[in-house]
Amino acid sequence: MVKFKAIGVSEGLAHAKALVIKEEDLSVVKNTITDVAAEQQRVTDAVDKAKRQIEALRNEAEKTIGAAEAEIFDAHLMMLDDPDFVEGMTNLVADDKVCAEYACFVNCENFQAMFRAMDSEYMQARAADIGDISKRVLKNLKGIADNAIDAITEPCILIANDLTPSDTAKIGSKPVVGFITRIGGRTSHSAIMARSMGIPAVAGAGDKADGIADGTELLLDGAAGEVIAAPDAETLAQFEEKKKAEDARRAMLAQFKDREGATSDGRRIVIEGNIGTPDDAVRVAELGGEGVGLFRSEFLFMDRNDLPSEEEQFEAYKTACQTMAGKPVIIRTLDIGGDKEVPALELEKEQNPFLGYRAIRICLNKTDLFLTQLRALLRAAQFGDLRIMFPMISSIEEIRNAKQVLQQAKDLLKAEGVPFNPDVKVGIMVEIPVAAVCADMLAKEVDFFSIGTNDLIQYSCAVDRINEKISYLYRPLHPGVLRLIAMTAKAANENGIEVGVCGEMAGTPGMAPVLCGLGVTNLSMSASAMLAAKADLAAHSYAECKELADKLVMAASATEAEQMFAAWRG
């Protein structure tokens, strides 16, 4: 029996035999040719075949995963349609009299080097896409079948060096119950798509996966990042019990799908979902979400070289509203900067990006960009309960200035005779400590608050949450953080407005009762966490939630608060 840990990138438990995806022999030899036209035709034919393969993959991915996830293949098709990319190969054939395979290899190296040399991290990452499509063209030239995934008929756990978007899309229609990759992490394309499909996955296994032979019995825990190969009888029995418990837990949680979020004595807490694309709203609706508490609109702007038009944004927001069928959809205006880049804006690199030019600060400076988004939001608000939320607010002036631009958008639409909803609720993110401290004044300016705990904790504790060296200082249960949340909730409640939490804290197991006790009225989280949050709330009375929250707020330290919380959870 072999046991090792890697990076858990998609939760879930899987038990099946290993299918090891071996790297095909894609080595090339620099052969010289005499018939240039014939060799160039081979390039053209291989590219055309690659386009047909990718179009089929895109259609399959859209059906099994979703339209947003399938868009990566649109980018691949655009690259294959790029004259510079194709002519790079045909020109090499003509100029150097080399075979098509060698021209494809050299062209790939040239383009990848060009992308890796760019300053933009987004463009650097596109080098992997160049590799994926070039590999496909080369395989067509060498007459190699697409890959082993096509032939899968039995349940299996894939083991591969990496899985390209093309590979991962195929998995959706195959009996693949999990996968392990030697490289990659939580933000790789394969990890994102695995989570969308609900397939347990582990990445970054490195050479620890090398000893696993094809057909080896495997146990995979995608949440813990744990892999067990050739388990003994005792380990297998323990895993099966764990899986039974997980299946029973999921079955138990299913009863909460059509129930409102509430404590055992009826204190209402609205449970909503966080989304990044309109398609994500489908899963929120399917799992009983009571609305969308956070639509991260910046996802429409990222991973592309141009800005989305007003019409494109309008269609995205409209789709989310229609999917939620009258339930609230809170859309956060463009929140870029920090760790989120929009290549089309070409923003300068900053020494302290999380404290710099980001979110509402950019929008109030680039009012044309802001107006386009606000116009789209107002138009889409005709199709549901759409609400607008401004991020990174630190003062009343910022709220008033943003509302002034919103009024300008209304005036323009009215003058142009474009239909829109003028009565849209407006709220703000409370994620900067001064906003929490001044929440009593800010509450008079808006219709709702949403506490962004990720940044609130980061700014309050002075901890870069993506810095592993100091991640131990990132403490959601720090009494100071809890007091800021309680202060914000108190101000909202006294002014008769809703106050939600949309950061990771909202979906953390057991945290819903704590936030309820602090006075929060709405919780928004990943769709997969919503049922557990409803169950947590239903297991306790409001008095119990309030008693716990009061104790945590009065704890002497984060450590003491964490110990109290652990004891309460049992």
Side-chain angles (χ1 to χ4, degrees):
M1 183 173 76
V2 177
K3 182 177 179 179
F4 65 84
K5 294 197 74 170
I7 304 168
V9 297
S10 183
E11 66 178 21
L13 302 172
H15 173 204
K17 290 184 178 181
L19 176 62
V20 181
I21 303 296
K22 297 180 176 63
E23 294 292 307
E24 301 102 337
D25 180 13
L26 296 179
S27 59
V28 298
V29 178
K30 187 179 180 181
N31 291 325
T32 57
I33 53 97
T34 55
D35 191 338
V36 171
E39 207 65 17
Q40 288 179 325
Q41 187 61 49
R42 289 187 65 219
V43 170
T44 302
D45 291 344
V47 169
D48 288 342
K49 184 176 180 179
K51 288 179 184 178
R52 293 193 298 273
Q53 291 169 331
I54 292 173
E55 285 169 354
L57 279 171
R58 194 208 182 287
N59 293 336
E60 185 175 2
E62 189 167 15
K63 293 176 185 175
T64 58
I65 309 172
E69 287 76 10
E71 287 177 0
I72 180 63
F73 299 110
D74 289 332
H76 285 198
L77 288 169
M78 286 175 63
M79 290 179 189
L80 285 174
D81 281 329
D82 183 351
D84 290 338
F85 181 75
V86 179
E87 288 174 10
M89 291 182 277
T90 55
N91 288 343
L92 279 166
V93 169
D95 296 343
D96 297 346
K97 302 297 187 293
V98 293
C99 62
E101 290 85 350
Y102 186 76
C104 179
F105 169 75
V106 172
N107 189 59
C108 175
E109 293 285 305
N110 291 342
F111 268 81
Q112 284 191 316
M114 179 179 69
F115 275 88
R116 287 173 181 144
M118 294 180 180
D119 292 334
S120 165
E121 290 183 14
Y122 169 81
M123 298 307 291
Q124 291 171 7
R126 301 288 67 78
D129 293 323
I130 293 292
D132 189 17
I133 61 175
S134 296
K135 179 180 176 182
R136 180 173 295 281
V137 173
L138 184 56
K139 285 165 69 174
N140 289 340
L141 287 168
K142 291 172 72 72
I144 297 174
D146 206 2
N147 61 35
I149 296 175
D150 290 327
I152 295 174
T153 57
E154 299 293 328
C156 64
I157 295 174
L158 294 184
I159 299 178
N161 187 57
D162 193 15
L163 290 172
T164 65
S166 303
D167 295 328
T168 316
K170 289 178 178 292
I171 290 173
S173 60
K174 300 294 180 181
V176 175
V177 298
F179 67 75
I180 302 162
T181 60
R182 295 180 181 84
I183 63 174
R186 281 194 60 82
T187 58
S188 63
H189 282 306
S190 58
I192 293 168
M193 295 172 80
R195 291 193 290 274
S196 297
M197 293 185 289
I199 295 177
V202 168
D207 56 11
K208 289 180 283 191
D210 290 346
I212 301 176
D214 212 22
T216 303
E217 187 175 16
L218 292 181
L219 305 178
L220 174 65
D221 186 334
E226 186 173 86
V227 178
I228 299 174
D232 56 34
E234 182 181 358
T235 302
L236 183 57
Q238 290 173 349
F239 185 86
E240 290 303 325
E241 285 301 313
K242 185 177 180 181
K243 195 168 189 314
K244 284 181 184 176
E246 177 63 16
D247 291 342
R249 175 179 171 274
R250 289 178 183 273
M252 181 277 293
L253 291 178
Q255 67 179 298
F256 291 95
K257 176 180 164 308
D258 297 320
R259 290 169 57 175
E260 294 181 334
T263 59
S264 60
D265 55 345
R267 173 89 171 194
R268 276 285 282 128
I269 302 293
V270 179
I271 302 298
E272 302 167 312
N274 294 341
I275 68 173
T277 70
D279 291 329
D280 295 340
V282 174
R283 185 160 168 77
V284 172
E286 289 176 344
L287 291 176
E290 300 181 74
V292 169
L294 172 64
F295 183 152
R296 300 179 177 95
S297 70
E298 58 272 13
F299 277 51
L300 301 176
F301 292 74
M302 297 166 67
D303 292 338
R304 56 189 295 168
N305 296 320
D306 59 346
L307 295 172
S309 66
E310 178 182 324
E311 200 63 29
E312 181 181 343
Q313 292 186 61
F314 162 68
E315 290 294 340
Y317 307 144
K318 173 185 172 182
T319 298
C321 287
Q322 291 176 325
T323 299
M324 295 312 297
K327 294 177 181 177
V329 176
I330 297 176
I331 301 181
R332 181 174 67 189
T333 57
L334 187 58
D335 184 10
I336 56 169
D339 57 344
K340 292 172 287 192
E341 295 185 359
V342 172
L345 292 179
E346 299 182 340
L347 300 176
E348 293 182 8
K349 295 283 186 181
E350 296 181 288
Q351 288 187 328
N352 295 299
F354 282 101
L355 301 178
Y357 186 54
R358 58 174 295 200
I360 198 67
R361 300 167 183 180
I362 293 175
C363 288
L364 290 176
N365 180 253
K366 295 180 178 292
T367 52
D368 287 347
L369 175 73
F370 199 22
L371 272 171
T372 298
Q373 180 171 38
L374 293 174
R375 285 170 58 102
L377 289 167
L378 290 167
R379 290 172 57 199
Q382 301 171 91
F383 300 91
D385 185 6
L386 185 151
R387 305 176 185 186
I388 297 173
M389 180 163 66
F390 302 129
M392 199 74 179
I393 293 295
S394 61
S395 68
I396 280 181
E397 288 80 8
E398 284 174 330
I399 298 175
R400 290 175 179 170
N401 289 340
K403 286 163 69 175
Q404 187 175 5
V405 181
L406 179 62
Q407 184 58 51
Q408 186 180 348
K410 293 179 182 179
D411 293 342
L412 287 169
L413 290 171
K414 185 176 181 180
E416 295 167 14
V418 178
F420 70 99
N421 181 0
D423 301 316
V424 176
K425 289 185 177 181
V426 174
I428 63 167
M429 292 278 288
V430 177
E431 50 195 335
I432 299 177
V434 292
V437 173
C438 297
D440 57 335
M441 293 183 287
L442 301 183
K444 294 176 173 57
E445 297 284 330
V446 295
D447 300 308
F448 64 90
F449 284 156
S450 187
I451 303 171
T453 51
N454 297 1
D455 275 338
L456 184 64
I457 297 166
Q458 174 174 247
Y459 294 139
S460 301
C461 298
V463 177
D464 178 355
R465 53 190 165 96
I466 59 176
N467 185 332
E468 294 180 1
K469 293 181 180 178
I470 56 173
S471 60
Y472 68 94
L473 294 171
Y474 185 83
R475 315 285 282 275
L477 286 173
H478 192 296
V481 173
L482 299 180
R483 292 181 187 191
L484 289 173
I485 294 172
M487 186 182 301
T488 303
K490 181 174 183 289
N493 293 331
E494 289 179 348
N495 284 275
I497 66 173
E498 292 182 351
V499 53
V501 169
C502 63
E504 289 296 316
M505 194 172 174
T508 302
M511 204 62 74
V514 176
L515 295 169
C516 169
L518 291 172
V520 171
T521 61
N522 298 55
L523 297 174
S524 190
M525 60 203 71
S526 64
S528 59
M530 295 188 305
L531 295 178
K534 287 183 180 181
D536 273 341
L537 287 167
H540 303 283
S541 68
Y542 174 64
E544 291 172 331
C545 296
K546 183 76 166 60
E547 181 183 8
L548 171 63
D550 288 345
K551 287 180 179 179
L552 295 175
V553 165
M554 295 308 296
S557 66
T559 300
E560 184 178 314
E562 288 161 358
Q563 290 171 346
M564 287 181 185
F565 179 68
W568 186 79
R569 287 276 288 166

